[in-house]
Amino acid sequence: MNISQFTNPENVIVMTTGEFVSGFADKTGISDLEREIEEFRLKPDKEGKLLLGEKRTTIRIFMPKLLFRKRFPQDDCVWVSMGDSSPYYCLQDMEPWMDKCYSFFTNSQCEYFPCHKGIDEKAFNCLFCYCPLYALKDRCGGRFRYIGNIKDCSGCTVPHRKQNYGYITGRFAEIAEASKPDGRVSD
């Protein structure tokens, strides 16, 4: 498992278990996929579990908090890996913020809309127009580069993806720490 791909929010798709099962049970040929995920959720194994499908497919379900020594946002959810060339799927039951107006809005009248490419305009979240993660410098988790001393986030879509609201708000303690007068980010 490629940990850098797993920790990059642009390679992560957050959805409910039901959404994942409806999209992948037939494609993988794992007819009891939902039962397998729920059993794993109740009795997780440190190494995760491989599920073999009838269509010559294999997926791995795991919980990051058991697999890695380092903590990650949403690491207590069940995750699915279909290989390093595929996105990782974070399966969570509905968070209180999902489908709430305060976690998402689109300003299609903005003269810069859409300010980043690669997101369906109907799913483009303008809530974090100025990304709160910017303060975390190179630990933000997004796709950025430095041009001299300037952080260029033009290639990043993390704050504009609807499903990343929880990822961003889950890092507010780190942002507050980075905003202290000494400006250091704690480990």
Side-chain angles (χ1 to χ4, degrees):
M1 180 174 305
N2 185 334
I3 197 165
S4 64
Q5 292 285 17
F6 163 74
T7 56
N8 181 344
E10 292 198 21
N11 295 325
V12 174
I13 297 173
V14 179
M15 58 178 46
T16 65
T17 302
E19 290 170 326
F20 181 80
V21 169
S22 68
F24 289 97
D26 288 339
K27 291 178 185 176
T28 61
I30 303 173
S31 58
D32 54 352
L33 183 58
E34 187 166 15
R35 182 185 57 78
E36 291 279 2
I37 292 169
E38 290 309 315
E39 284 180 7
F40 182 79
R41 188 185 315 272
L42 294 173
K43 290 186 178 182
D45 180 80
K46 181 181 177 185
E47 300 300 319
K49 183 175 183 180
L50 288 177
L51 303 177
L52 306 173
E54 296 171 3
K55 298 184 177 181
R56 303 180 78 180
T57 56
T58 303
I59 67 172
R60 180 180 186 185
I61 55 177
F62 63 98
M63 283 187 153
K65 71 178 181 182
L66 300 176
L67 191 59
F68 303 109
R69 293 181 190 194
K70 186 176 178 184
R71 295 295 310 234
F72 300 101
Q74 302 163 321
D75 66 356
D76 57 347
C77 296
V78 174
W79 287 66
V80 178
S81 170
M82 297 181 168
D84 287 338
S85 61
S86 297
Y88 288 90
Y89 295 88
C90 174
L91 308 182
Q92 55 184 214
D93 293 323
M94 288 299 263
E95 289 286 335
W97 55 265
M98 287 184 168
D99 296 330
K100 299 288 193 255
C101 293
Y102 65 80
S103 68
F104 175 83
F105 82 94
T106 300
N107 182 5
S108 60
Q109 299 303 307
C110 175
E111 50 276 352
Y112 299 106
F113 182 80
C115 57
H116 294 265
K117 306 287 185 229
I119 303 174
D120 177 14
E121 290 185 9
K122 292 177 184 169
F124 196 97
N125 194 353
C126 296
L127 182 64
F128 299 115
C129 178
Y130 293 96
C131 183
L133 301 177
Y134 186 88
L136 297 179
K137 300 177 180 161
D138 62 344
R139 295 184 54 196
C140 68
R143 185 176 294 150
F144 66 92
R145 63 188 179 130
Y146 279 103
I147 302 173
N149 290 331
I150 307 293
K151 185 176 176 185
D152 173 18
C153 303
S154 60
C156 182
T157 59
V158 171
H160 300 297
R161 293 188 180 278
K162 185 176 186 175
Q163 71 268 20
N164 287 345
Y165 176 86
Y167 174 78
I168 292 172
T169 58
R171 301 199 59 197
F172 279 173
E174 290 176 76
I175 295 165
E177 187 72 23
S179 300
K180 288 184 176 179
D182 65 6
R184 293 186 309 179
V185 178
S186 64
D187 289 326

